[in-house]
Amino acid sequence: MAPICVGSARNTLENKDSRPEEKNISFSLSESEKPESTISITVVGASGDLAKKKIFPALFALFYDNWLPENFTVFGYARSKLTDEELRNMISGTLTCRIDRREDCEQKMEQFLKRCFYHSGQYNSEDDFAALDKKLKEKEGEKLSNRLFYLSIPPNIFVDVVKSASQRASSGNGWTRVIVEKPFGRDSESSRELTRCLKQYLAEDQIFRIDHYLGKELVENLSVLRFSNLVFEPLWSRNYIRNVQLIFSEDFGTEGRGGYFDNYGIIRDIMQNHLLQILALFAMETPVSLDAEDIRNEKVKILRSMSPLLLENVVIGQYKGHSKGNKSYAGYTDDPTVPKNSLTPTFAAAALFINNARWDGVPFLMKAGKALHTRRAEIRVQFRHVPGNLYKRSFGTDLDKTTNELVLRLQPDEAIYVKINNKVPGLGMRLDQSDLNLLYKTRYRREIPDAYERLLLDAIEGERRLFIRSDELDAAWSLFSPLLKELEEKKIAPELYPYGSRGPVGAHYLAAKYNVRWGDLSEDS
């Protein structure tokens, strides 16, 4: 839970992020008159796994590809007592260079590490952040200073850090922005309280709520695919689409994160944010422009148009121990950090509906789970059957086998493919389903950037369209909070499924209820 904060909602940061008048002034200045700027990126929680495995490598990748500004400094901030050199040694083992050009790798790495520094301090100490501010000013000199804070810390200390940083370490003459990692609360109430507390010290346009799934290449390509290809946009409605499936599966369990995971569960961890954000991007109306606010306005409209999520349209599961060959896999409650009687779901499937003219009656099926038979994340769009299909005899009675399907595979092996019906070469009339396949690693030789690279770069440049606005977050929690409350109050027991299986049987019945077959399972069979 986010801490309860007190006081009026007064913004203590004097340097607001959105300054259209500043842009107008800059156009009137010649290049020689423009003040030289620098950016200081402070990773709060620098000794944690996320910082080491994702944030520092993403920053190095941006530097390696020359995306970072010429003048930049990276600071790590945490309670651990480390020197600058110890921080550099800690993160150097996680930095990698692009596969397609490694010739200057070591030189680039050395240059990047020289710009990395460390400051030890408490998360709730204004004095420690004042000391950080002094170090930042030493590096910034007389330049226009812009500051980005990345909060790679548990949510219960977000407000302490934001308060201390805003009052003692914000920029004196440039912008200050803060990236906040999920979870953004556990329900509507705690999320609103967290937002209220943050807004005592930050303006909304200074808060960058990050959902790394929105930075994935295929999610970024979703609107391009739809809005720049005439072949798809006319089909994007209830007239041609039978159902949409959003699928997330991992082939491993909680792996030591059981204590954290048990407090949230798969619905809060994956569905309420990753999958719902993708659904909103998929289903939204055409925005006025590609401006962040125009896109986020349309996403909010979709979230507010959704029907309440009913318990009868949800299936939850929890993986149990399973032996395969000579190897045994522990169940969820076998984790010593998880209570033996835990009812926390590690799997969930849900049917959602959007009450608008475009999507009326179309089921949006979500499925997310851990310890399943495969690792994947994908969007599957199943189209309606061809009316009066001349070739239905060639397919037999199962018309689902003739369904055209558009699949966007987010991970692994990023791809976009369309299932079409095709004649098998030969003298007879035999049909089968074939794929028109755009496999990214075959078409594009360049390595695909990590999602954190894209989102960090967007935050540096002030591009907000892939970050979550507060009203968007509130609409998402309003959809899921009543369901979560009902599950917990009624102590609904999850259906057990073996580790490494395809999940609970109940998920198949839920899909069948709406005359749908899960696309990923038929593909695996």
Side-chain angles (χ1 to χ4, degrees), residues 173-222:
N173 58 4
W175 52 255
T176 300
R177 297 170 187 156
V178 179
I179 298 178
V180 184
E181 272 280 352
K182 75 175 185 71
F184 314 116
R186 293 188 78 255
D187 51 27
S188 292
E189 185 180 352
S190 59
S191 176
R192 285 171 191 151
E193 177 64 13
L194 176 58
T195 296
R196 187 184 74 82
C197 290
L198 291 177
K199 284 188 176 182
Q200 288 192 24
Y201 310 104
L202 299 170
E204 172 64 31
D205 58 10
Q206 292 175 288
I207 304 171
F208 286 68
R209 299 174 188 83
I210 192 170
D211 183 335
H212 74 273
Y213 255 69
L214 295 185
K216 288 189 175 291
E217 186 66 40
L218 266 295
V219 177
E220 178 84 342
N221 198 24
L222 179 57

Side-chain angles (χ1 to χ4, degrees), residues 214-467:
L214 295 185
K216 288 189 175 291
E217 186 66 40
L218 266 295
V219 177
E220 178 84 342
N221 198 24
L222 179 57
S223 58
V224 176
L225 185 76
R226 175 181 170 187
F227 296 125
S228 70
N229 290 287
L230 185 61
V231 69
F232 290 121
E233 173 56 20
L235 307 180
W236 223 260
S237 74
R238 64 188 297 274
N239 296 329
Y240 295 98
I241 293 177
R242 288 174 58 208
N243 66 82
V244 180
Q245 302 174 23
L246 302 116
I247 297 167
F248 174 95
S249 66
E250 292 178 332
D251 55 2
F252 53 88
T254 51
E255 308 287 315
R257 291 177 65 244
Y260 163 83
F261 185 85
D262 200 66
N263 193 40
Y264 290 95
I266 199 74
I267 297 176
R268 290 183 177 95
D269 197 38
I270 302 297
M271 280 189 162
Q272 181 273 337
N273 40 72
H274 298 336
L275 297 188
L276 191 61
Q277 283 293 315
I278 294 171
L279 186 155
L281 275 173
F282 177 93
M284 70 180 185
E285 294 297 318
T286 307
V288 174
S289 74
L290 292 177
D291 180 76
E293 297 313 304
D294 290 333
I295 291 174
R296 297 197 289 188
N297 288 343
E298 295 304 330
K299 287 168 67 184
V300 170
K301 288 178 188 176
I302 282 293
L303 295 174
R304 289 178 175 169
S305 298
M306 298 188 75
S307 303
L309 194 48
L310 304 176
L311 187 59
E312 65 194 47
N313 283 335
V314 176
V315 171
I316 59 173
Q318 186 184 94
Y319 68 86
K320 62 181 180 180
H322 180 61
S323 295
K324 190 173 183 180
N326 296 324
K327 192 167 183 180
S328 294
Y329 299 90
Y332 176 68
T333 54
D334 295 329
D335 186 325
T337 62
V338 173
K340 292 297 180 187
N341 60 348
S342 173
L343 298 179
T344 300
T346 61
F347 175 99
L352 300 95
F353 294 88
I354 300 171
N355 292 324
N356 67 13
R358 182 182 292 271
W359 297 113
D360 184 37
V362 176
F364 284 76
L365 295 173
M366 280 186 187
K367 181 170 66 169
K370 290 183 172 293
L372 295 172
H373 72 299
T374 188
R375 171 179 171 263
R376 76 169 77 212
E378 60 188 19
I379 307 165
R380 305 186 77 99
V381 185
Q382 294 187 347
F383 293 93
R384 296 191 180 279
H385 298 141
V386 177
N389 194 330
L390 294 174
Y391 295 98
K392 62 184 177 182
R393 289 184 180 179
S394 302
F395 285 103
T397 57
D398 190 356
L399 287 179
D400 283 344
K401 289 182 178 178
T402 70
T403 298
N404 295 127
E405 193 171 18
L406 170 65
V407 181
L408 285 80
R409 190 194 302 139
L410 311 183
Q411 67 178 31
D413 297 330
E414 292 87 347
I416 301 172
Y417 58 96
V418 181
K419 290 180 172 292
I420 63 163
N421 300 317
N422 185 58
K423 178 184 176 296
V424 176
L427 298 178
M429 180 55 71
R430 189 163 63 88
L431 308 186
D432 73 353
Q433 273 212 328
S434 302
D435 295 344
L436 301 178
N437 194 350
L438 170 58
L439 183 62
Y440 271 50
K441 66 183 180 183
T442 302
R443 176 66 179 84
Y444 304 106
R445 298 297 183 183
R446 182 175 172 79
E447 186 179 349
I448 294 176
D450 184 78
Y452 281 91
E453 296 175 38
R454 184 186 310 282
L455 294 170
L456 275 164
L457 182 61
D458 280 356
I460 290 168
E461 295 182 343
E463 172 56 68
R464 297 174 180 81
R465 64 197 169 86
L466 296 179
F467 294 89

Side-chain angles (χ1 to χ4, degrees), residues 98-111:
R98 296 291 188 208
I99 293 171
D100 54 346
R101 52 184 183 91
R102 292 179 179 269
E103 63 278 1
D104 58 349
C105 184
E106 287 190 16
Q107 182 184 351
K108 281 277 197 177
M109 201 174 290
E110 189 176 328
Q111 292 171 1

